[in-house]
Amino acid sequence: MYSTLSHLECSRDGSRHDADVVQGTSPLGAPLLARYDLERAAATVTPAEIGTRAPDLWRYHELLPVRDPAHVVTLGEGMTPLLDLPRHGARLGVPGLRMKDEGLVPTGAFKARGAAVGVSRAAELGVAGIAMPTNGNAGAAWACYAARAGLSALIAMPVDAPVITRRECVVSGAELHLVDGLIGDAGRLIAAAVAQRPGVQDTSTLREPYRIEGKKTMGYEIVEQLGWRAPDVILYPTGGGVGIIAIHKALLELQELGWLTGDLPRLVAVQATGCAPIVDAFHAGLDESTPPANAHTVAFGITVPKALGDFLVLDAVRSTGGTAVAVTDEDLLAAQAALARDEGTWVCPEGAACFAAVAQLREAGWLDGSEDVVVLNTGTGLIYPDTVPVDLPVLPKDGAIPAR
Ligand SMILES: *Cc1c(COP(=O)(O)O)cnc(C)c1O
């Protein structure tokens, strides 16, 4: 059996819904979560067998929603490196620091995981096209995978989103609209357009059930790469929250499968001080977030003033004994530069925010330096070239390199 998908479950009231028709949110307007027959999955496949499969996220296909392998739309996503960071870890006083580097997936950001699984399942269920608002990376990924699947793509993004992501949409044939506003404004335009376009599915963050399924494979991979063991702490740059919700879901599924024992890692939601609704709600003891005024940060992928799944992020953080941290743009850019000098890896500003958060948590004593810590770097720095200004004179061709 390729997939053990059984049904969808409302994340608010636990009600069951049919997984084999196109679904959006639950009747309560809440995200729907895919549920599997995990007993059957555990009887069908073992971790050792998974270890022999091709190094992409489809190695976990029993725990993914696509029922027929013929419907898998892939560009080779998944099984990204889990890198040791000895020099940077020593600098931060956290020798057990590692990075899961999502800069190496197709389209350069982890959004490809959600797009691969979401587009595959949409095509399997007979959807003709997808439509979504985005802060750039998700739209780029969904546009590319839609092209691969032969689906149409309608994308709206803020005019301030990374320019390269526009080009990815255009080159793959998507219908792209730039919006003078934030992702929520783009979302309103998309919802109105989708109402006029039969066969087109609104695949906004957490408004369709399968993007989260693609992203949860980050959690499976971390555990598999550590030898079916969890780290002590995972830090995640949180925007819409899909990634952290998904990693939490993956860890719970692995526990239920009996493939992971012991305590779950403490999950840490990291945001930028310019847009930190989840961090504010966490520290205020609230279950839902309030959108900040004038949201702004260089870490554009986490500029999400109001996440539909905020209550699920807060639950993931609280139920694992984690925390929520906000860092300034100045600190995250300094962290990005220090990491690149220490380890030769140019991470995106969102990933860099997590390294700044590690430093902050170590200084505060929340980390004592003995932990195994995994930072999710959600994308490559190449998407955001302007985060590293280069101002150099041009030498005349008969000039000379100054002596030093
Ligand atoms: C979308 C995005 C995020 C935020 O991810 P969520 O799962 O929506 O919280 C972080 N980093 C990058 C690079 C992104 O594109």
Side-chain angles (χ1 to χ4, degrees):
M1 175 178 256
Y2 194 71
S3 170
T4 61
L5 178 66
S6 59
H7 63 280
L8 298 173
E9 186 181 290
C10 172
S11 56
R12 287 238 185 238
D13 69 0
S15 56
R16 276 178 88 98
H17 301 272
D18 187 355
D20 286 297
V21 294
V22 177
Q23 297 272 17
T25 53
S26 77
L28 295 178
L32 288 168
L33 301 176
R35 295 299 181 205
Y36 298 81
D37 183 345
L38 294 178
E39 231 167 89
R40 184 156 185 180
T44 308
V45 64
T46 61
E49 188 181 337
I50 288 174
T52 66
R53 292 179 177 172
D56 62 43
L57 62 76
W58 301 99
R59 66 204 274 113
Y60 308 108
H61 61 76
E62 286 90 351
L63 306 168
L64 293 172
V66 177
R67 294 204 188 276
D68 180 350
H71 292 136
V72 167
V73 180
T74 181
L75 293 167
E77 56 289 332
M79 263 300 157
T80 54
L82 183 64
L83 299 172
D84 293 345
L85 301 172
R87 210 172 277 124
H88 199 62
R91 179 198 293 278
L92 299 183
V94 184
L97 184 65
R98 288 188 177 86
M99 168 167 80
K100 178 76 172 154
D101 192 4
E102 295 293 301
L104 278 83
V105 294
T107 74
F110 80 109
K111 293 293 194 312
R113 293 180 188 263
V117 174
V119 167
S120 296
R121 186 67 179 147
E124 184 165 70
L125 293 175
V127 166
I130 58 98
M132 63 198 294
T134 174
N135 272 340
N137 292 327
W142 282 70
C144 292
Y145 283 85
R148 179 92 164 148
L151 305 186
S152 69
L154 168 63
I155 312 287
M157 67 172 71
V159 66
D160 293 332
V163 174
I164 188 71
T165 62
R166 286 183 202 176
R167 301 192 196 282
E168 290 175 280
C169 293
V170 169
V171 77
S172 58
E175 177 185 337
L176 174 68
H177 298 277
L178 301 177
V179 183
D180 181 15
L182 294 179
I183 188 168
D185 305 303
R188 277 184 288 281
L189 296 179
I190 288 291
V194 167
Q196 309 297 319
R197 299 190 188 195
V200 171
Q201 186 182 9
D202 184 341
T203 55
S204 303
T205 306
L206 293 173
R207 287 185 192 280
E208 66 75 53
Y210 300 116
R211 185 198 295 211
I212 187 172
E213 295 305 291
K215 292 190 177 183
K216 81 179 178 186
T217 57
M218 293 186 290
Y220 292 162
E221 287 178 20
I222 291 169
V223 170
E224 183 179 353
Q225 287 171 314
L226 291 174
W228 299 97
R229 184 179 66 77
D232 299 309
V233 177
I234 298 177
L235 292 96
Y236 187 88
T238 304
V242 187
I244 193 167
I245 296 166
I247 289 172
H248 187 219
K249 182 173 189 284
L251 294 165
L252 293 172
E253 287 172 353
L254 291 176
Q255 274 193 331
E256 206 176 322
L257 285 158
W259 297 355
L260 178 65
T261 52
D263 290 340
L264 289 189
R266 290 180 276 162
L267 299 180
V268 180
V270 178
Q271 299 196 302
T273 49
C275 184
I278 304 265
V279 178
D280 292 344
F282 176 80
H283 292 291
L286 301 173
D287 294 331
E288 308 219 345
S289 62
T290 309
N294 307 320
H296 184 79
T297 161
V298 292
F300 203 76
I302 53 175
T303 316
V304 180
K306 178 65 184 174
L308 185 66
D310 53 1
F311 67 104
L312 296 171
V313 176
L314 289 160
D315 175 58
V317 169
R318 290 196 177 112
S319 67
T320 59
T323 187
V325 183
V327 302
T328 63
D329 279 7
E330 192 185 349
D331 284 354
L332 72 87
L333 289 171
Q336 182 192 45
L339 179 71
R341 281 193 307 269
D342 285 344
E343 306 285 355
T345 174
W346 186 8
V347 302
C348 63
E350 296 83 356
C354 291
F355 287 98
V358 169
Q360 204 171 300
L361 290 172
R362 181 72 183 91
E363 269 159 40
W366 194 87
L367 291 173
D368 67 19
S370 69
E371 303 90 347
D372 275 331
V373 176
V374 172
V375 160
L376 257 299
N377 173 42
T378 42
T380 168
L382 297 175
I383 296 170
Y384 304 81
D386 297 341
T387 52
V388 182
V390 176
D391 185 16
L392 288 174
V394 178
L395 301 176
K397 52 181 181 217
D398 58 354
I401 293 174
R404 54 181 308 185

